[in-house]
Each structure stands twice: as structure tokens, then as C-alpha cells.
Amino acid sequence: MSIWSDMVTIVSATLSGDINFKVVQAYRSEAAWFVFGPLTIIGAIMFYYRERFAERLEERLGYSATKITHPIITVLLLLALAAAFLPPANALLQTITLGLLPVLVVFGPIFLILFERTPERTIVIYCYIVMAAIIFIGVIQRFVFSVQVPWSTTIPPLLFMIMAWFGATFNIRLRTHLSFSEFRTKLGAKGQLFWLTFDNVLWLVFCVILVTTMSRGTVNTYDNFAIVLGTDDTMRWWFVVTMPVCFILLATRAIENVVEDFSSYRAGEPLIKQAVIGGDV
């Protein structure tokens, strides 16, 4: 098949959800680079303007949007944990939400973090909390009640994967990941600008590679009907699909860094500043 027909197959099949062996083969072809390369850049630009929207929202509010979003996200996740570990609570919540509890507890937080300036921080925090809660409850169940839900040892590693990559994305924005500041501070402003821009161009290339390859991995997992071990209907691709999204967001952070560097250079401000892992941007 030609590259163009493979590109059409990838886009149309992905949007329709009709994934079969022919589509998987198209994903494995060179056409995937021509689809997901531009998609990475377009997605990064869209996230960039989402970030600007979040900044303007916080300026109007006069405080961080997390003061509103975090309490709601906390309640939704508590409901999810209660439904996961307590069958009576699950039955009650399913009745109250008209069977839409999974949609509510998954897409509710996703929608809310779109209004936050640093969604990676929220994702990392809550992935860690949920992961720790599952492990803690699993240990209590096993050693106190001699029972244990089978997925309590398979879901946490997937949450850790999400937490690690989104944490790395946030640290790209903070410039605490492979920054080589000790050497670059000895250079002049033009030298610093060159190497900082070089870093961010490499991050963009890296993101295109990862978005393309992880999209292939996601569709392959989807086509194989891979289920998370210990569950009956939790698909593994639901977790894997967060990786392409993560690296599109990472591309956004690289673009933000480039814009910030050129702005600082024109204003004569320092280009390399002291950064702290987990700090604020």
C-alpha cells in the first residue's frame, strides 16, 4: 500500500475505532511518521494555548485553579476507590450515577485538569496517592482478612508508569532534567541560547519518535485485547494511551521553553536560572 493510503487508513480507523490487522500494519508502516509527526506538533501547539488560557484564568481568579479542581478530583477518586473495594458501595454508586460511574471518575478529573496551569503535577500527585492507597488496602486485606483483590498488584505499576513520565514532563519545564547548567553558565548569552534551543529541538524530535512508537504500541495492545491482569474488563491500552498524550505535552513544554528563552534573551535577562525539582514554573 502507498504511504498516502496508509495515512488515510490510520486516521479513519483511529477515529472510528475500527482497529483490525490491516490498520495495525498501517501503523507499522512509514506512514505513521507522517501522521504522528505533524500530530505531535499540532497537539503541542493546542496544549500551549490551553496553558495560556489556564494562566489567564488564574489571573482572573486571583488564585490557583487547583483550589477548585483538587477538592472535586479528591471526591471523585474516593468514590472510585470505594466502588473498587466495596461491592455494596459500587452497586449504590452505579445506581445513583445511572451506570456512568466509570465515566465520571475517569473523565471528570481529566476535564478538570484542563483548567490547571500545571496538569502534570496533579497527575503525579493523584497517581501516587491512588497507587499508595491500593497497595495499603491490599496489604491490610491480605494480612488481616486473608483476602485480596487480584488487581491490587497489577494496577499500581501502571499508575507508577504514568506518574514517572508525567513527572519527567514537568521537570522538562522546570529545566531540571539533563540541563548541564554547570557548564553552560560559563558561556555567553548567545552560547547559552544556542544550547538551550538545541536541547528543546532534541526534545521535540524525541517526542515525535515516542508519540509515533507509543501509538503503535497502543494500537497493538488494543488489537490484542490485552486485559490488565487480575481484572475482567479493564483494558491495558487505557493506560498505555496516556504515553502519547504525555509526550505531546512534553513537546508543549519544549516549545514554552523556547519562547521563554528568546524572550529572556531579547530582554537581557539571565537565560539559565536556579531550578528545583518539584518546584514552581
Side-chain angles (χ1 to χ4, degrees):
M1 298 177 65
S2 67
I3 290 180
W4 175 251
S5 62
D6 283 340
M7 291 172 61
V8 172
T9 299
I10 291 172
V11 175
S12 60
T14 302
L15 293 177
S16 66
D18 184 18
I19 305 297
N20 52 40
F21 180 73
K22 179 182 177 182
V23 177
V24 175
Q25 290 297 104
Y27 265 83
R28 293 174 181 172
S29 70
E30 296 298 321
W33 297 100
F34 293 95
V35 173
F36 293 104
L39 179 64
T40 302
I41 304 303
I42 294 172
I45 294 172
M46 292 176 62
F47 275 135
Y48 178 85
Y49 284 104
R50 185 217 63 84
E51 183 82 2
R52 306 288 76 77
F53 164 78
E55 287 181 352
R56 291 193 297 270
L57 177 63
E58 289 194 356
E59 289 175 359
R60 290 184 179 182
L61 292 174
Y63 52 83
S64 173
T66 57
K67 290 186 177 181
I68 300 174
T69 60
H70 278 203
I72 301 174
I73 293 174
T74 300
V75 171
L76 291 175
L77 293 180
L78 286 174
L79 292 177
L81 288 171
F85 285 99
L86 302 172
N90 181 40
L92 176 62
L93 291 171
Q94 290 286 4
T95 302
I96 294 174
T97 60
L98 302 177
L100 296 177
L101 180 64
V103 176
L104 182 64
V105 299
V106 172
F107 292 100
I110 292 175
F111 174 75
L112 289 171
I113 63 175
L114 293 178
F115 296 94
E116 297 182 8
R117 189 165 56 87
T118 54
E120 305 100 313
R121 179 181 290 175
T122 298
I123 292 171
V124 169
I125 290 172
Y126 283 101
C127 277
Y128 183 82
I129 292 174
V130 172
M131 179 176 64
I134 292 173
I135 295 173
F136 176 76
I137 296 173
V139 170
I140 297 298
Q141 286 182 323
R142 181 176 181 180
F143 292 100
V144 177
F145 300 102
S146 299
V147 295
Q148 184 178 6
V149 290
W151 48 263
S152 63
T153 57
T154 57
I155 295 290
L158 295 171
L159 293 176
F160 181 82
M161 173 191 70
I162 296 173
M163 180 184 72
W165 285 116
F166 276 96
T169 299
F170 186 55
N171 283 324
I172 295 301
R173 183 69 179 99
L174 294 176
R175 303 171 191 265
T176 55
H177 192 58
L178 300 178
S179 60
F180 305 106
S181 303
E182 296 81 1
F183 304 100
R184 293 174 179 180
T185 50
K186 302 181 184 300
L187 301 175
K190 290 184 178 180
Q192 292 180 7
L193 180 64
F194 171 80
W195 286 112
L196 291 173
T197 305
F198 181 75
D199 286 346
N200 290 307
V201 170
L202 287 182
W203 282 124
L204 288 173
V205 173
F206 178 73
C207 289
V208 170
I209 294 172
L210 265 294
V211 170
T212 303
T213 55
M214 289 306 301
S215 296
R216 289 171 171 171
T218 301
V219 77
N220 188 61
T221 305
Y222 178 94
D223 185 56
N224 289 332
F225 299 98
I227 298 176
V228 176
L229 296 178
T231 68
D232 296 323
D233 54 4
T234 302
M235 308 305 294
R236 196 178 302 171
W237 74 267
W238 296 349
F239 296 90
V240 179
V241 75
T242 61
M243 294 299 95
V245 177
C246 173
F247 289 106
I248 291 176
L249 183 56
L250 196 154
T252 301
R253 298 312 188 189
I255 292 174
E256 286 182 314
N257 287 346
V258 170
V259 173
E260 182 182 83
D261 290 338
F262 276 89
S263 177
S264 298
Y265 178 78
R266 287 193 297 268
E269 299 174 353
L271 294 174
I272 298 177
K273 304 171 185 176
Q274 183 67 36
V276 179
I277 294 177
D280 201 358
V281 292

